């Protein structure tokens, strides 16, 4: 039985890697800039958290999505696999944010109300 001697030609993804690297670097630079600058208009609150914090959360989720899409090669997978990975991650991250905001606000109110003293 003869073996197939034709090798599969793989295309180079160097350009794609540099493009994703550039986007991730730009988003990180924007995050650092806003972290240092801390503009006054971002001090407004939405769901008990500053808009600046929401801005960081959204940019971080975008970077996680881009890393998953490009470097874990999700763009070439079937629609069902992509959805199962992405929607599970989105659900867990939203659930984590909800828990952190709820518990953090509760603990802050307990200490602010004087039910417990600030020992630290």
């Amino acid at each position: 039985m003869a073996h197939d001697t034709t090798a599969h030609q793989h295309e180079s993804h160097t350009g794609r890697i540099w493009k994703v690297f550039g986007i991730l670097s730009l988003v990180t630079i924007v995050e650092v800039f806003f972290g240092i600058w801390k503009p006054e208009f971002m001090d407004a609150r939405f769901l008990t958290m500053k808009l600046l914090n929401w801005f960081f959360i959204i940019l971080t989720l975008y970077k996680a999505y881009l890393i998953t899409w490009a470097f874990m090669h999700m763009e070439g997978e079937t629609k069902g696999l992509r959805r199962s990975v992405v929607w599970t991650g989105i659900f867990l991250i939203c659930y984590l944010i909800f828990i952190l905001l709820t518990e953090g606000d509760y603990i802050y109110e307990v200490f602010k109300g004087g039910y417990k003293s600030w020992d630290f």
Side-chain angles (χ1 to χ4, degrees):
M1 196 165 167
H3 294 284
D4 187 13
T5 57
T6 59
H8 295 285
Q9 296 296 325
H10 297 285
E11 61 183 76
S12 175
H13 293 288
T14 306
R16 173 92 169 122
I17 290 170
W18 281 109
K19 180 180 176 184
V20 172
F21 174 74
I23 293 171
L24 290 172
S25 298
L26 181 67
V27 172
T28 302
I29 289 169
V30 168
E31 284 179 331
V32 170
F33 176 74
F34 273 86
I36 293 171
W37 179 36
K38 296 180 185 172
E40 301 246 350
F41 69 89
M42 293 283 227
D43 283 340
R45 293 197 172 265
F46 177 70
L47 296 176
T48 70
M49 195 166 61
K50 291 182 181 180
L51 288 178
L52 186 62
N53 292 343
W54 284 111
F55 180 71
F56 289 142
I57 289 171
I58 290 168
L59 286 180
T60 302
L61 288 175
Y62 174 72
K63 288 193 313 185
Y65 166 78
L66 192 59
I67 289 168
T68 303
W69 188 255
F71 295 129
M72 294 176 69
H73 307 290
M74 292 306 272
E75 62 208 353
E77 297 296 337
T78 62
K79 186 188 289 188
L81 179 62
R82 285 194 313 241
R83 285 184 180 173
S84 67
V85 170
V86 171
W87 286 112
T88 302
I90 288 173
F91 170 75
L92 291 175
I93 290 169
C94 290
Y95 184 62
L96 176 67
I97 290 171
F98 170 75
I99 289 174
L100 289 173
L101 289 177
T102 304
E103 292 297 320
D105 187 55
Y106 171 76
I107 291 170
Y108 175 75
E109 291 299 325
V110 165
F111 282 113
K112 182 180 172 190
Y115 303 114
K116 188 105 171 129
S117 64
W118 293 89
D119 294 341
F120 44 91

